[in-house]
């Protein structure tokens, strides 16, 4: 098959099977990026997205890997290099959430949260950077959260993981800037995905009332920022809040 001429760039999207990640995949597909969609449990969704995009002549591969595990991340990176020979952009999007009182959070729940939401970013970035540093070019975008900036009640472990991502983003941006690699994070407010399916419409309306733009965000709001961050050349080390003004 012919390479995609328009950008000829390869992007990995972790957790690309649903929600924000799936929307990022679809938007970048329009820009003709070569895409590796990572998923863990949602194989049928991943296959459906791939099938749809293949019909539009997008070069898209899907790969199952639990990004909370170093060995599986290594396989994801190896697969990407075998398929597309390069990694230009890494979107660390995969994440989980859970609401629990801090005093009731078990070690296992804490570790799962940190492994999935923070260590995954460590593993994926470190493995992808080997290729990016060789090439002296790259772009890493981490999907953080408003709670990583402000802290979220009953979401201490999640907030810690996302705050960790913010620290990693700033420090790593300084470390790899000379290699022409940009590292940024996006901190969404509340976005309409399955992650918030536990909220009732009443609860969503109450949150909406607190948001100056008076609406819940959509995955496309985050995807558009990802696209902009990839194209931009002078932004690094930033945590970009996209939250309708919920936290300013
Ligand atoms: P979502 O709809 O629940 O989707 C989560 C995605 O992450 C799925 O594709 C899932 O893949 C993947 N994932 C989870 N654990 C994984 C693992 N161990 N390995 C690989 N993939 C894994 O959530 P979302 O709302 O799109 O969230 C995406 C990101 O945005 C997360 O990092 C989240 O913390 C962040 N965020 C979301 C909101 C919001 O309001 N929605 C707000 C702030 C930040 P499988 O289904 O294939 O397992």
């Amino acid at each position: 098959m012919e390479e995609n001429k328009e950008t000829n760039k390869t992007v990995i999207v972790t957790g690309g099977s649903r929600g924000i990640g799936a929307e990022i995949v679809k938007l970048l597909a329009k820009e003709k990026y070569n895409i590796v969609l990572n998923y863990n449990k949602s194989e049928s969704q991943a296959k459906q997205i791939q099938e749809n995009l293949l019909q539009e002549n997008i070069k898209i591969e899907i790969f199952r890997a639990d990004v909370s595990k170093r060995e599986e991340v290594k396989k994801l990176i190896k697969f990407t290099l075998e398929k597309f020979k390069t990694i230009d952009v890494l979107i660390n999007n995969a994440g989980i959430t859970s609401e629990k009182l801090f005093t009731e959070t078990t070690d296992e729940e804490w570790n799962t949260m940190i492994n999935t939401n923070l260590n995954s970013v460590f593993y994926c970035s470190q493995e992808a950077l080997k290729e990016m540093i060789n090439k002296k070019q790259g772009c890493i975008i981490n999907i953080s959260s408003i709670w990583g900036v402000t802290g979220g009640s009953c979401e201490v472990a999640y907030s810690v993981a996302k705050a960790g991502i913010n620290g990693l983003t700033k420090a790593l941006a300084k470390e790899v800037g000379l290699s022409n690699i940009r590292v940024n994070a996006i901190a969404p407010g509340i976005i309409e995905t399955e992650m918030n399916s536990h909220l009732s419409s009443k609860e969503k309306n109450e949150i909406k009332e607190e948001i100056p733009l008076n609406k819940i965000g959509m995955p496309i709001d985050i995807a558009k920022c990802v696209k902009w961050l990839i194209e931009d050349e002078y932004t690094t080390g930033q945590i970009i809040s996209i939250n309708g003004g919920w936290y300013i």
Side-chain angles (χ1 to χ4, degrees), residues 67-225:
V67 291
S68 70
K69 298 187 174 130
R70 166 79 77 176
E71 286 315 308
E72 297 197 19
V73 167
K74 279 187 175 179
K75 288 179 190 162
L76 168 66
I77 300 297
K78 187 166 174 277
F79 173 84
T80 304
L81 291 173
E82 280 167 7
K83 292 291 174 190
F84 294 123
K85 302 193 173 51
T86 182
I87 303 165
D88 298 283
V89 181
L90 167 68
I91 320 285
N92 286 310
N93 164 77
I96 53 168
T97 184
S98 82
E99 287 187 13
K100 193 100 189 252
L101 281 175
F102 178 65
T103 46
E104 289 177 3
T105 302
T106 64
D107 289 2
E108 197 188 344
E109 288 163 344
W110 179 273
N111 290 336
T112 300
M113 188 61 71
I114 301 297
N115 285 335
T116 308
N117 287 2
L118 178 58
N119 291 354
S120 62
V121 178
F122 169 46
Y123 302 145
C124 292
S125 304
Q126 210 178 43
E127 296 298 331
L129 273 169
K130 290 173 190 164
E131 163 69 10
M132 290 178 176
I133 289 171
N134 272 340
K135 271 202 340 182
K136 288 217 174 305
Q137 189 186 312
C139 171
I140 298 176
I141 300 169
N142 301 319
I143 307 301
S144 178
S145 164
I146 188 171
W147 301 141
V149 182
T150 66
S153 170
C154 296
E155 296 199 53
V156 173
Y158 182 82
S159 302
V160 166
K162 296 299 190 180
I165 288 181
N166 295 351
L168 182 152
T169 299
K170 293 178 192 181
L172 187 59
K174 290 183 180 177
E175 197 170 311
V176 297
L178 274 181
S179 295
N180 192 30
I181 296 163
R182 294 177 301 109
V183 187
N184 290 290
I186 298 172
I190 180 165
I191 306 295
E192 191 72 61
T193 70
E194 281 175 48
M195 190 168 265
N196 294 312
S197 56
H198 62 286
L199 295 173
S200 65
S201 353
K202 184 172 172 281
E203 285 168 320
K204 278 191 193 165
N205 271 331
E206 281 165 9
I207 295 173
K208 222 169 80 174
E209 296 293 302
E210 294 174 15
I211 299 175
L213 287 180
N214 198 235
K215 56 183 177 185
I216 306 280
M218 299 304 287
I220 190 67
D221 296 315
I222 307 306
K224 279 182 190 165
C225 184

